[in-house]
Amino acid sequence: MKKLLISTLVLLLTGWSSATAGNEDGSRLWLRFEAANATKAISGVKGTAMSELQTYWKGGPVVLKHQKGMAQDAYTIQSQGSKITISAANNAGLLYGAYHLLRLQQMGEDTSALNISEQPAYDLRILNHWDNPNGTVERGFAGKSIFLNPDPERMKIYARANASIGINGTVLNNVNAKPEALTTESLQKAKGIADQLRPYGIRVYLSINFASPIKVGGLKTADPLDADVVAWWKDKVNEIYKLIPDFGGFLVKANSEGEPGPQDFGRTHADGANMLAGVLKPHKGIVMWRAFVYNPQSSDRANQAYEEFMPLDGQFADNVIIQIKNGPIDFQPREPYSPLFTALKKTPMMVEFQITQEYLGAANHLVFLATMWREFFASVKPESLKAMAGVANIGDDVNWCGHHFAQSNWYAFGRLAWNPSLTSEQIADEWLRQTFTSDEQFLKPMTQVMLESREAAVNYMMPLGIHHIFAGGHHYGPEPWYNPPRIRPDWTPPYYHKADSIGLGFDRTTNGSANVNQYPDELCAKLNDINTCPENLIAWFHHVPWDFRMKCGRTFWEELCHKYDTGVKQTRQFLVAWDGVQPYVDCQRFSEVQRKLRIQTRDAEWWRDACLLYFQTFSKRPIPQDVEHPVHNLDEMQKFRIPITMYENPVQGYTK
Amino acid sequence: MKKLLISTLVLLLTGWSSATAGNEDGSRLWLRFEAANATKAISGVKGTAMSELQTYWKGGPVVLKHQKGMAQDAYTIQSQGSKITISAANNAGLLYGAYHLLRLQQMGEDTSALNISEQPAYDLRILNHWDNPNGTVERGFAGKSIFLNPDPERMKIYARANASIGINGTVLNNVNAKPEALTTESLQKAKGIADQLRPYGIRVYLSINFASPIKVGGLKTADPLDADVVAWWKDKVNEIYKLIPDFGGFLVKANSEGEPGPQDFGRTHADGANMLAGVLKPHKGIVMWRAFVYNPQSSDRANQAYEEFMPLDGQFADNVIIQIKNGPIDFQPREPYSPLFTALKKTPMMVEFQITQEYLGAANHLVFLATMWREFFASVKPESLKAMAGVANIGDDVNWCGHHFAQSNWYAFGRLAWNPSLTSEQIADEWLRQTFTSDEQFLKPMTQVMLESREAAVNYMMPLGIHHIFAGGHHYGPEPWYNPPRIRPDWTPPYYHKADSIGLGFDRTTNGSANVNQYPDELCAKLNDINTCPENLIAWFHHVPWDFRMKCGRTFWEELCHKYDTGVKQTRQFLVAWDGVQPYVDCQRFSEVQRKLRIQTRDAEWWRDACLLYFQTFSKRPIPQDVEHPVHNLDEMQKFRIPITMYENPVQGYTK
């Protein structure tokens, strides 16, 4: 008989019991602990830690110890033989330590001589759900909202999954917020979810519609400096905190893409954010105010967040965080970092990553995003940020994320929000080992696939700095020619690629939109010169002549063709790799992933053909003989539409 | 002013006139002579020769000279400087010589020192049109029948094209002949066509329905030994010859695939053929009696023609020719030769090739068939045959054959019927130079593509001796699983591929169907032993174990995968080659051929995926890591149907 010590409580273990594995439908995520013991219900976050260990830990006694002086959520794990102690200042720290231990167990690591000390980079590690009250999920590719009719069992797995990787906050609703998010009925529902997440150390937040005082409260204005408006917000916030005492705060998309905001009343972003912050402050709530703003008149959308927010630097209340997308446009396969990150000096900032693959093949393409986020942190110092937000890729699909490998992006987001210094390889390895197997024959090729996958997607979608040449509406496939009449120019690909007989790309140099000036001097100089600008962003910052000589010796046109060709070949190699690991994967997940990889491979050809044939109408240059040539016809691709909304995953890509 | 001497007639040339090139829609075939002079109408075959030279010959005087003692249709061309003499025993010989000269001119050859002596291998070089009275063409992929409403201008080009390559006979209607082919109305129509073809040395023939005496004549029987039946045929033949004095004779498909025949009346093929031959003999007409027979009960369809015809060897009248398809099954991408060719000793034989690509991608795939026909002649001595028939690929499409490159198969058939020793390379070179350009930058890659194309099709469709795994009905795409209930087993692919857990292929060894015994002893022994059987026919003659070791060291399964992979890559290379010659091709034909090559490339992937994934359900072996892996899903491909009949060219291949 073994003993499991939890704090001062000694739980008696009745022996091993191996859990019956369910269908391999992916619903268990990376949480594949086998139940070692019968569970007992214990309340609170510490109770969760105890219960998780009691149920799944197969080793010797574990002591959970409160220890003062440690940072919030930090923990240590120390072991000597089978005796293990987890120490933390708060209960969440104990819970994270418990999951760390279970992770090591699941990965088959030796736990007999641990000396682990972990501390999160950010206090706030938060998911943004873009879920609507009707259950649709904007840019959601995994079914309906899990919050529509929250199933207690699913909520529990959701909470465990988040807690297991350190996520401690979640915004329940879409940033394009419906006013009814703040009705009493909605708040009651949010309370129910909050109650279910609380034992896992997760707080809930809400996106709000800035016009709520008008639309919900019946006021005539939502002017943030209007006393009645402020009073309305105070009452509403009091109502929320009565239901959800640990409510986290508001996420706000204001004066962006048609959403209301303080500018509608002649006020600034700071006026709006600070009013809400003032109301939330007594409750220790925060405001996450998004910097994702642009208007149709601007000659360069990439310039606008900087232009609107730089004048406000230093004017925001201390419980406001400006939430900035990683790049200056919108979650493209590759962007430079948003210049606000290095420009704002007196404003708390957080980065908004997109876990859901709005622009990266939705739930059809295997694209591991850790490498993209790590690329961001190579430019933006992690310590310059206060928090990290990730737009969730979670829905009510059995496997949660639509694509089994999309789970790895949820996982990677949590792990990087905890520790942005983790390598992509380490995260991929951890996730693969927990989710599939630790067999080297599986790990080696699939780690390689994951690490290569984002660059492959860039290659077959939009290499060399090309961006936003997606289909209108659903952002799934290529539509570089998309330019219907009377549409906002900045919602069309030609606004971004500017292909003409001379070349391709957006001139953001000092001779062009001068976007480079928003970056620090040294970097600005580097980006401004076509000969020193990184080639993987060259068409982001320059209108590159077709015959511009790249470092490899090819012309820009030739290199473009080679990049697309490389992307196609990479996806084919992913299929080969996956087929090769069949012996190590259960039948269901093997087959489901294989189908997705086949879609991805076909889509890569579609992207290559659409982009090269379309750009060729400008370049008038032949596709080099040493790459594969398009197999689809431009006119047919141009007629093709995928009949889906922004709330669905396409069944597949191009078909005639 | 130049002089053109024709026979004793001196035609005065009024100077050069360059023809205005029409649209490059392919309608001009390889006949791209530019008119050098105004034409004058001159009657008869010799008149045609004179007129063609008068119109298109740009050189000095040409003398057309009758010379006795030469073989039928043979000619010589001799030149000294600009003086040229064409000699022949008959007018057709002069015409062929004239076209030879024009061909040299079009190819840019020096004609100042010619000493050419040509003699056709066969007296009869004949097209078989599978055209129906309603205008449909069985296995026709280029529109409707050109004989439905014969356009005089089109008929003239048709006649010129045939004569230019030595074709001197044409069967106007489908071997699955409607009885109404012999009604007076139909015969009047045939007369009209015959009158148009006669000046080009082309005789017309008709396919007949053996039950015509019943169905047209109103008799109670069609028994070939019945006196009334014979009398009916005599009357009918007299009627024909009154209309068409040089009528060629009958082509007969009897007791085959449901068509009536002498066996319906207890008579033999010889009884039937000889009766018709007797009736035609006084008019110098002939009977071409097809050996394409098989019945659903047989355990090996490949055995049956031999079994039915060998007992009749020596029993056929001397104006009967047994018309035998090149292979024992049915125009597959690769077959061994039909064993009848070496077995029949006392019976005149002719080979039936299929120019129309029933089993080779219809009018969508570029497959140059000269290499296939040359392969046949490597086994069957040309001199063992009396004639050569080709099932035409001609329709009322503007470009005649549906695919610009399908014209090359019409061309190649005629050239090989004249001289089966011509190399495929020479034919490809001739055709390309006449039809496109003599520029080496064009010729080199495209000759390569043409020469490789048939082996590529074998690779991506059915390599290593696999055969007849086509879709039911239209024979376009892969359907190795096709096996609907209550169908004749020999109309299903599993009858032919016999895939199981052990291996793949039809055991035709002495332990199996003993088909090998129909071949000469030495060859029989070679084919019978799996270790000496040519690998490109191994699954034709053997049920090859999946792990059978091929000469390259791969297992049979691995080699199968490699062959399909190679086929796909070859088609991609064809696209690269074609794109590379764009500067040398007019815009219209470039674009039309490119579209077709894109279909072919996509189809090659479809074939690969369907066949490998289906056969993998038997082999249970992984696809090797060094080849590309399927991108389509088997279940989806299995649900897919192309909704076309056997009279249409599919718009494309697999789509979801």
Side-chain angles (χ1 to χ4, degrees), chain A residues 24 37 50 119 132 157 175 185 201 206 247 300 328 344 376 389 416 452 477 495 527 613:
Chain A
E24 272 306 0
N37 308 287
M50 291 161 63
Q119 179 176 339
N132 296 318
I157 300 175
V175 289
E185 188 190 350
L206 290 173
F247 179 72
D300 185 0
L344 288 173
F376 169 82
L416 285 174
E452 205 182 310
Y495 176 94
L527 298 174
L613 290 179

Side-chain angles (χ1 to χ4, degrees), chain B residues 539-560:
Chain B
W540 183 284
F541 287 109
H542 297 270
H543 190 64
V544 190
W546 297 114
D547 291 330
F548 177 77
R549 193 61 61 181
M550 304 293 282
K551 291 186 183 68
C552 62
R554 297 190 189 105
T555 66
F556 175 71
W557 165 250
E558 290 165 347
E559 181 69 355
L560 192 69

Side-chain angles (χ1 to χ4, degrees), chain B residues 244-277:
Chain B
I244 310 169
D246 58 350
F247 179 71
F250 292 147
L251 171 62
V252 192
K253 175 175 180 176
N255 293 125
S256 167
E257 294 181 332
E259 295 297 332
Q263 293 173 349
D264 303 342
F265 311 96
R267 313 301 179 187
T268 68
H269 287 292
D271 294 331
N274 291 344
M275 179 275 288
L276 292 172

Side-chain angles (χ1 to χ4, degrees), chain A residues 572-573 575-577 579-580 594-595 598-599 601-602 605 613 623-636 651-652 655-656, chain B residues 572-573 575-577 579-580 594-595 598-599 601-602 605 613 623-636 651-652 655-656:
Chain A
R572 289 194 191 128
Q573 196 49 44
L575 251 184
V576 171
D579 286 352
Q594 187 187 53
R595 291 182 92 87
R598 287 172 177 171
I599 294 173
T601 305
R602 300 194 306 261
E605 284 196 359
L613 290 179
I623 292 167
Q625 293 277 298
D626 60 344
V627 303
E628 274 180 41
H629 285 217
V631 298
H632 301 108
N633 299 304
L634 182 58
D635 56 342
E636 290 164 349
V651 175
Q652 62 186 326
T655 55
K656 281 176 60 182
Chain B
R572 290 197 191 125
Q573 197 47 45
L575 251 184
V576 171
D579 286 351
Q594 188 188 53
R595 291 183 92 86
R598 287 173 176 171
I599 293 174
T601 306
R602 300 195 306 260
E605 283 197 358
L613 291 178
I623 292 166
Q625 293 278 297
D626 61 343
V627 302
E628 273 180 42
H629 285 216
V631 298
H632 301 108
N633 298 304
L634 182 57
D635 56 343
E636 290 164 348
V651 176
Q652 61 185 326
T655 55
K656 280 175 61 185

